[in-house]
Amino acid sequence: MRSATRRRLHAAATTTVAIALAVAAVACGSNDRDETEQRITSLPRNIEQSDDPNAEKIVDIVRAHMSELHLSAAVFGVWRGDEVIVTGALGESPLAVPATRDMQLRVGQPMEPMLSTVLLQLGEAGTLGLDEPIAKWVPDFPRADKITPRMLANGTTGISDYVTNPEFLKIFYANPMKGFTAQEIFDLANSRPPLFEPGTDWAYAHSDSCLLGVVLEKATGRPLGDLLKERIFEPLGMDKSSVVLTPQMTEPILHGYTNERGVFEDSTFWNPTAFLNSGNMNSTVAEVGRWVRALGTGEVVSDTVFEEMMAAKTAGLGPLTPEKYFAYGTVHFNSWLFMDPAFGGYHGVALYETNSKTAIVVYVTLGPAADTDIDNAVPIGNAIGTLLLPVNPPKVF
């Protein structure tokens, strides 16, 4: 679940790299800003911070952006290695109730590199071949004889992104509570021509993640949720994280709000299977931070697999370069790893700088005047990264 269409669901086929090229500036009236700032400042703070001199500055950055961007709540965490610099929550969730750091949220796109991690683990164990045609597991999928699991993980299949299909948007916005099956998603993806021959180019597509999840399930005979629990959640102590196939969430809940459908509404229980296998997962900001740090250090994979995950092997395809590329569910900008989830009023950013081992995770929810056409968490992550590493800021937009 990456940013759905830049116009509405915030996701375009090339979002992962295009998002680095431009950011929309959001203007707001002084009266609105003053009222929002007063409300945020007056609420009890739920902050845990170290004696790092930047901890309070990070809180100030989040507070200022919440006011500027008209956000209702934010949960955030910053780590250097396993040392907590600051974790916290500001704002209201649900509205008029102070947000807390332990609230469950929709994880979104950071789930995608989890699938790739499991894929590479299974490949190393000989359970499946990364370059074996997926026809072995999904023989009826178009061009299954030419598409491989590695292509699915790296965005080089050419399969159309179903999320940008107007028919998907029509169905989704008519009833956001509706669940989607993998077959429904495949039908939407294949209702439009492929973008290119498998392996010849790159384009981000939620369709790839959905199909990869199905391949992993068929290759192992086990549900994807069980695979992630056994291979990622349990080894990392992520006992508040789970893959979900319904709108269920566990209290306390960070409520999502959006005006995507032309009215400001609580979107917390929009069905996450609209992004099946690319974001239908619940967790907390602390556990997302735990995963981001493990991803950045290769904690749950072998050295050989970690080297493969970080390599710029897609460079030269489409807009990708050795400095800016996509690999196994993650965007790489020089020494930064980048993920930008957004869905139904939840906007997020996860950043990891590999040299300093700095991890930044921010999830925000929208207010009535917030701009739904940008990922409102990204400017916050950018500002925190610039504060901590001014010589090597993330510069992602």
Side-chain angles (χ1 to χ4, degrees):
M1 181 169 51
R2 181 171 297 281
S3 341
T5 59
R6 275 290 171 209
R7 235 178 32 114
R8 303 304 235 176
L9 286 179
H10 303 134
T14 56
T15 290
T16 50
V17 170
I19 199 171
L21 304 180
V23 62
V26 180
C28 59
S30 59
N31 289 340
D32 287 346
R33 178 182 289 119
D34 290 345
E35 291 175 6
T36 304
E37 196 167 66
Q38 183 178 11
R39 185 172 71 250
I40 294 168
T41 302
S42 64
L43 284 173
R45 292 195 310 172
N46 180 18
I47 309 293
E48 177 186 335
Q49 62 188 60
S50 68
D51 58 3
D52 188 299
N54 287 313
E56 187 62 35
K57 295 177 182 178
I58 292 169
V59 177
D60 290 341
I61 285 172
V62 177
R63 183 184 293 109
H65 278 81
M66 285 185 65
S67 176
E68 178 185 353
L69 299 173
H70 303 287
L71 306 177
S72 62
V75 290
F76 54 95
V78 181
W79 299 262
R80 187 175 293 110
D82 288 328
E83 174 195 354
V84 177
I85 296 177
V86 62
T87 62
L90 292 172
E92 305 168 354
S93 186
L95 296 180
V97 177
T100 61
R101 290 179 292 129
D102 59 346
M103 285 180 159
Q104 284 262 312
L105 51 82
R106 302 293 191 195
V107 170
Q109 195 266 331
M111 179 182 178
E112 294 178 15
M114 293 183 185
L115 270 66
S116 291
T117 298
V118 172
L119 169 66
L120 290 163
Q121 290 173 338
L122 295 173
E124 189 172 48
T127 304
L128 52 68
L130 270 64
D131 298 311
E132 191 173 3
I134 62 171
K136 179 175 180 179
W137 304 285
V138 283
D140 296 331
F141 195 91
R143 303 185 302 164
D145 60 329
K146 298 180 179 179
I147 295 170
T148 68
R150 194 191 306 271
M151 292 178 189
L152 291 170
N154 283 335
T156 61
T157 66
I159 300 170
S160 173
D161 187 3
Y162 75 92
V163 170
T164 63
N165 187 329
E167 185 61 24
F168 168 77
L169 300 177
K170 178 181 176 181
I171 296 169
F172 181 78
Y173 280 125
N175 181 10
M177 310 298 183
K178 168 186 159 38
F180 284 81
T181 66
Q183 189 57 56
E184 287 174 321
I185 288 171
F186 296 160
D187 290 344
L188 286 164
N190 292 320
S191 67
R192 298 192 294 176
L195 302 177
F196 48 79
E197 280 296 303
T200 64
D201 207 339
W202 177 87
Y204 176 79
H206 298 81
S207 311
D208 290 342
S209 293
C210 183
L211 184 52
L212 177 57
V214 171
V215 168
L216 293 176
E217 290 183 329
K218 289 186 176 295
T220 60
R222 303 183 63 196
L224 184 63
D226 290 353
L227 291 173
L228 295 190
K229 180 179 180 181
E230 175 186 310
R231 293 176 172 272
I232 294 176
F233 303 158
E234 289 182 345
L236 297 179
M238 297 169 59
D239 58 2
K240 295 179 177 63
S241 300
S242 62
V243 174
V244 292
L245 299 175
T246 71
Q248 72 196 67
M249 297 190 84
T250 302
E251 293 282 0
I253 298 170
L254 182 73
H255 280 242
Y257 295 94
T258 186
N259 55 20
E260 293 172 44
R261 299 199 298 169
V263 59
F264 185 66
E265 60 186 322
D266 188 327
S267 50
T268 306
F269 298 104
W270 285 10
N271 200 310
T273 59
F275 296 87
L276 187 64
N277 302 341
S278 66
N280 56 308
M281 178 183 154
N282 299 340
S283 189
T284 64
V285 70
E287 293 200 355
V288 175
R290 181 71 182 94
W291 161 240
V292 170
R293 302 196 310 275
L295 174 66
T297 59
E299 185 173 343
V300 294
V301 297
S302 68
D303 291 345
T304 300
V305 165
F306 183 60
E307 183 178 353
E308 170 70 21
M309 290 187 76
M310 297 295 112
K313 293 185 178 178
T314 57
L317 296 176
L320 307 185
T321 70
E323 292 76 34
K324 296 179 181 180
Y325 61 93
F326 183 84
Y328 295 103
T330 305
V331 180
H332 296 243
F333 290 106
N334 297 307
S335 63
W336 288 91
L337 309 183
F338 171 55
M339 290 154 274
D340 64 325
F343 164 70
Y346 293 94
H347 289 187
V349 65
L351 292 160
Y352 185 84
E353 203 282 315
T354 55
N355 297 320
S356 64
K357 294 182 170 55
T358 299
I360 302 165
V361 178
V362 181
Y363 280 83
V364 303
T365 59
L366 310 186
D371 185 352
T372 62
D373 291 341
I374 65 168
D375 184 329
N376 286 274
V378 171
I380 302 176
N382 229 16
I384 295 171
T386 301
L387 168 70
L388 298 177
L389 295 164
V391 178
N392 180 30
K395 294 183 181 178
V396 294
F397 298 100

